Amino acid sequence: MARVAVVTGGTRGIGRAIAEKLHRSDYRVAANFAGNEDAARRFTGETGIKSYRFDVSDYKSCEAGIKRVNEELGPVDILVNNAGITRDAVLHRMTPEQWGAVIATNLTSCFNMCRLVIDGMRERGFGRIVNIGSINGQAGQYGQVNYAAAKSGIHGFTKALAQEGAGKGITVNAVAPGYIDTDMVRAVPQAVLEKIVARIPTGRLGQAEEIARTVLFLVSDESGFITGSTLSVNGGQHMY
Ligand code: NDP
């Protein structure tokens, strides 16, 4: 029986590439999204992958979402915590709402989703969790104290949960992308983007596909000895 994978934020950008890659590798995939119904409908129409609307920042919403996945696809073996947002501002202009939204969507979501699948993984003696961090969680970034704090938190979360899961066949790893060509990065002003690309040794943005293949590697049954690690996929921009 094919393993069941949930990819949060799986209908667009990096998450979409991950969902498609797992689907093509014969996993049974559930792609979550927040509210962009048009994108989700297009995604499901083009790929045949089911999409599930729920808010990863809200525990009750995740509970309802995971229940539906369990009923429709089966128990979750693989969880990719990919959903994320930015609400950039320098700290002296950042509002409590901007802080709270990013922490809830990018970090509390990892607790919500892991908490809801961990019991089943422990019972079945198998699990693969991959959390999508960021180069900006490793190195910091001007105007992103909320985002950098959330992503940096993901890296600590990953190492702690890896220790708890190791004896039960559950691996927990993080992937830290550099700048990847998605809607999130296309929202950055062109002049700023050019400066960013100039600092990337490979001289280009990454592709979502390049993150997807890293995730595929980490979630495979054969990767059971890799846990608590962070794989940086950033074109050499930051060597951590
Ligand atoms: P996109 O903005 O392209 O897509 C974000 C996805 O997350 C969408 O599917 C969106 O759903 C979903 N989402 C957002 N908020 C929620 C929520 N509360 N509940 C459920 N789903 C939600 O993002 P990217 O593909 O660029 O980024 C994906 C991940 O990679 C993020 O965690 C990001 O921080 C990280 N990352 C990205 C980098 C980049 O260069 N792009 C670099 C480093 C890290 P909907 O379509 O409904 O809005």
Side-chain angles (χ1 to χ4, degrees):
M1 187 72 163
R3 295 203 182 277
V4 173
V6 174
V7 182
T8 70
T11 57
R12 289 199 287 121
I14 292 173
R16 174 176 174 144
I18 295 168
E20 287 192 65
K21 177 71 100 188
L22 297 182
H23 177 68
R24 281 198 299 272
S25 306
D26 294 329
Y27 292 92
R28 288 155 67 79
V29 181
N32 149 263
F33 68 105
N36 189 333
E37 290 280 359
D38 285 347
R41 212 171 298 116
R42 226 175 13 254
F43 162 81
T44 296
E46 288 167 7
T47 63
I49 301 169
K50 280 192 167 190
S51 50
Y52 293 80
R53 180 176 178 166
F54 59 90
D55 179 359
V56 293
S57 70
D58 180 80
Y59 188 81
K60 291 267 175 238
S61 183
C62 293
E63 198 168 32
I66 289 295
K67 185 165 177 287
R68 272 188 59 209
V69 174
N70 281 333
E71 287 165 1
E72 293 175 14
L73 300 186
V76 178
D77 303 301
I78 294 161
L79 169 64
V80 183
N81 284 311
N82 163 80
I85 57 168
T86 51
R87 296 288 182 270
D88 295 353
V90 286
L91 181 83
H92 58 274
R93 294 210 190 95
M94 186 173 288
T95 64
E97 289 72 25
Q98 287 172 315
W99 170 264
V102 168
I103 298 296
T105 304
N106 297 14
L107 181 58
T108 306
S109 58
C110 293
F111 167 78
N112 293 343
M113 292 297 293
C114 288
R115 183 65 189 87
L116 287 161
V117 300
I118 202 81
D119 289 340
M121 289 179 173
R122 291 173 65 86
E123 277 158 25
R124 293 188 301 281
F126 180 89
R128 296 281 182 268
I129 296 172
V130 177
N131 301 315
I132 305 298
S134 169
I135 188 173
N136 293 350
Q138 297 171 311
Q141 177 62 44
Y142 183 96
Q144 285 198 326
V145 292
N146 50 2
Y147 186 83
K151 292 299 188 182
S152 175
I154 280 181
H155 298 302
F157 179 100
T158 298
K159 288 186 258 189
L161 188 57
Q163 292 177 31
E164 295 180 13
K168 295 282 183 190
I170 303 167
T171 68
V172 189
N173 293 288
V175 173
Y179 285 84
I180 309 298
D181 189 12
T182 68
D183 292 346
M184 185 182 272
V185 162
R186 278 175 222 130
V188 174
Q190 188 59 29
V192 177
L193 205 53
E194 278 169 18
K195 282 191 193 148
I196 290 171
V197 172
R199 291 204 309 268
I200 304 175
T202 52
R204 64 170 176 89
L205 296 174
Q207 296 300 314
E209 154 77 17
E210 293 174 295
I211 306 303
R213 61 170 55 227
T214 311
V215 173
L216 178 66
F217 165 67
L218 288 173
V219 302
S220 83
D221 280 31
E222 291 74 26
S223 294
F225 204 56
I226 307 171
T227 195
S229 71
T230 294
L231 258 173
S232 298
V233 185
N234 62 25
Q237 189 180 352
H238 181 68
M239 300 185 187
Y240 194 57

